[in-house]
Amino acid sequence: MKYDKIIKWVLLALFVVGVVFSFYGFAVGFESNGNAPVDNMLYCAYAYAAVAVFAVLLGVVVIGGINNPKTLLKLLGGLVVVAAVIAGAYFLAPGTPAVGYLGEPVSDMTLKLTDTMLNLTYLLCGGAVVALFVGAVVSAIRK
């Protein structure tokens, strides 16, 4: 089969759908009609995310599992590590209200999830900086 042609046509279709929704939003106005253009663009983004998840599942789990079943164990180990990092960030999140916030009250769960996302952002950003530094040092040592 010619998978490259299938991929090319699917990507073209996704691109055209994205352009159509963008032009629709600009033509109608993003703040008119009850935010319908924004909602449509969000639904389009959800569909893109679903296509990406489906492609990863198909490529990694199904095809990778058929070719080498040991990759499924590595994938499961990676998922356990990711879940542990997210759980750690969740349990470390204080969930305290913002200082000086005078708007509508925010639920405790929203505050906890917001702090979790901030913790994950800080952790992953720091991990990226450390990885860049370690990569540069290891590359310099190997030369």
Side-chain angles (χ1 to χ4, degrees):
M1 266 196 205
K2 297 281 185 178
Y3 292 114
D4 55 339
K5 287 190 178 193
I6 294 172
I7 291 171
K8 182 175 93 171
W9 285 106
V10 168
L11 288 176
L12 181 65
L14 290 173
F15 177 74
V16 168
V17 168
V19 168
V20 166
F21 276 123
S22 296
F23 280 127
Y24 170 71
F26 283 110
V28 173
F30 287 107
E31 295 166 4
S32 64
N33 199 12
N35 287 332
V38 174
D39 291 341
N40 287 337
M41 291 179 79
L42 285 173
Y43 295 145
C44 184
Y46 297 151
Y48 285 170
V51 168
V53 167
F54 177 73
V56 167
L57 287 176
L58 179 69
V60 173
V61 176
V62 175
I63 296 174
I66 291 171
N67 291 339
N68 188 2
K70 290 183 181 180
T71 58
L72 294 178
L73 292 175
K74 291 179 183 178
L75 180 65
L76 182 63
L79 289 175
V80 167
V81 169
V82 167
V85 168
I86 292 173
Y90 178 79
F91 289 121
L92 290 175
T96 56
V99 176
Y101 178 70
L102 301 174
E104 294 181 22
V106 181
S107 71
D108 292 337
M109 188 60 161
T110 301
L111 293 170
K112 183 86 168 172
L113 290 177
T114 302
D115 288 345
T116 300
M117 289 300 163
L118 285 172
N119 286 346
L120 284 172
T121 302
Y122 299 149
L123 179 69
L124 295 176
C125 183
V129 169
V130 168
L132 287 171
F133 180 72
V134 169
V137 169
V138 168
S139 176
I141 290 173
R142 287 188 179 167
K143 286 185 180 182

